[in-house]
Amino acid sequence: MAFLNLPGLGQVHYHEYGTGAKPMLAFHGYGMTGRQFEVLQKSILTDYRVYSFDHFFHGKTQISGWSEQQILAGMPKAMMRAYLEEWFKQHGTQRISLMAYSIGANLALVLIEEFAEWIDEVILMAPDGLSVYKGFNFLMHNAAGKLLFKTVTKSNWLAPGVLKSLRRIRFIDDSLYKIAYSEMDTPQKRLDVYYTLNLIKQLQPNIVKVTDEINRHNIKCHLIFGKHDMLFPKSSAANFIQRLNNPLVHEVPLGHWLVTSQLDEYLVNYKL
């Protein structure tokens, strides 16, 4: 069991796996843990040693000394520096790669802003953070949205009703409904959703800076999208993709639930 002690934040738990020699730091999606990427046995894990972090309010990672008011205000972007600074203290300063899925991409993209000169490759799967997602932006930054999010979190019946309505009007599909419902079916799960999304709401990447740094340092950039993903589809990343010199863009016949054995087979055949 391994941890990073991040000053002013708390204790971040990370998982270490993979048979490769090249170090890769990884950030999972909502409701998962750092073990999410273990399914990529035939592709990523043969070339990399993965150090995959549990998010706050996930797994064994614990925030320390933060009031609810601080959590709802969000974690400043500058605090992300501590992830890599503390990892370097444990493992030595060295070149690394990054991997992230869904909301975890926000953390990886912020690290690119600060440490691009140390990064060889980045793999982003169904990534958040490449454009403004109107749904999250409404819940996190709009007064009415924030009140709605808080109200839904406190209610035992409202969350399922809202999700059913969103599915009925086809704002989300069946797969997204199942994922969201499974993460909001108890008071504790709803509170964890509320705290998690508020904590990371300041971690909004500067896309101009990120793409400039990727181009300047010739970072190999893989962008992997699900063809049937209604949450973060390829189309939402058009501006980000256009700004890159040599992006490697993949669109696979999957939905948002992307980190699967099917993706592992695709990456093996592609010879990532």
Side-chain angles (χ1 to χ4, degrees):
M1 192 175 296
F3 293 89
L4 295 181
N5 292 308
L6 306 186
L9 265 175
Q11 194 174 61
V12 173
H13 178 241
Y14 66 91
H15 308 262
E16 185 177 347
Y17 48 85
T19 57
K22 297 182 289 185
M24 172 178 277
L25 276 59
F27 300 92
H28 64 82
Y30 185 81
M32 306 301 293
T33 72
R35 306 213 77 93
Q36 180 177 27
F37 302 104
E38 282 188 315
V39 70
L40 304 176
Q41 290 284 337
K42 300 176 184 178
S43 53
I44 305 298
L45 300 187
T46 58
D47 293 325
Y48 292 92
R49 187 67 175 172
V50 173
Y51 302 83
S52 189
F53 302 96
D54 291 345
H55 295 323
F56 287 101
F57 308 105
H58 291 70
K60 295 182 175 65
T61 289
Q62 297 290 328
I63 201 163
S64 179
W66 281 51
S67 66
E68 182 176 64
Q69 184 178 8
Q70 286 176 293
I71 293 170
L72 298 186
M75 168 184 161
K77 285 174 70 173
M79 284 189 166
M80 274 303 302
R81 292 186 60 88
Y83 275 83
L84 198 48
E85 289 170 345
E86 295 302 314
W87 188 87
F88 279 158
K89 287 180 183 177
Q90 284 192 13
H91 299 278
T93 304
Q94 57 187 298
R95 301 195 65 79
I96 62 164
S97 294
L98 298 174
M99 176 168 60
Y101 166 71
S102 195
I103 65 167
N106 291 285
L107 285 70
L109 290 164
V110 171
L111 285 181
I112 294 172
E113 290 185 34
E114 299 291 337
F115 295 98
E117 68 273 20
W118 292 102
I119 299 170
D120 287 327
E121 185 171 11
V122 59
I123 302 172
L124 302 177
M125 307 169 183
D128 186 14
L130 303 188
S131 63
V132 175
Y133 182 65
K134 293 180 180 179
F136 287 166
N137 191 64
F138 175 71
L139 294 177
M140 296 297 103
H141 302 288
N142 179 280
K146 288 191 284 187
L147 177 60
L148 173 63
F149 194 19
K150 182 178 181 179
T151 302
V152 169
T153 300
K154 303 295 184 181
S155 171
N156 287 327
W157 62 269
L158 191 54
V162 169
L163 291 174
K164 288 177 182 177
S165 296
L166 292 175
R167 182 177 62 172
R168 191 177 301 117
I169 64 175
R170 298 186 178 180
F171 188 80
I172 59 175
D173 60 12
D174 286 342
S175 63
L176 287 178
Y177 172 82
K178 290 176 183 176
I179 294 170
Y181 187 87
S182 69
E183 296 302 334
M184 299 190 73
D185 58 353
T186 70
Q188 185 60 54
K189 285 183 180 180
R190 290 194 296 274
L191 187 62
D192 287 343
V193 171
Y194 187 57
Y195 283 163
T196 298
L197 295 185
N198 274 287
L199 184 68
I200 67 170
K201 69 183 180 183
Q202 290 193 44
L203 303 183
Q204 296 181 333
N206 181 329
I207 294 308
V208 173
K209 184 175 182 181
V210 170
T211 52
D212 284 350
E213 290 297 301
I214 290 174
N215 291 336
R216 181 177 299 115
H217 295 281
N218 295 313
I219 298 172
K220 190 175 183 181
C221 183
H222 289 273
L223 301 169
I224 305 172
F225 301 94
K227 185 176 182 179
H228 310 297
D229 188 351
M230 295 182 66
L231 193 58
F232 303 125
K234 177 184 171 183
S235 59
S236 67
N239 180 60
F240 184 88
I241 294 169
Q242 289 171 4
R243 290 188 56 83
L244 294 175
N245 290 341
N246 297 296
L248 299 165
V249 182
H250 313 260
E251 192 171 30
V252 297
L254 296 168
H256 185 67
W257 194 250
L258 198 58
V259 186
T260 64
S261 58
Q262 293 99 312
L263 180 63
D264 192 33
E265 292 293 339
Y266 170 87
L267 296 178
V268 168
N269 292 329
Y270 181 81
K271 298 181 179 178
L272 190 67

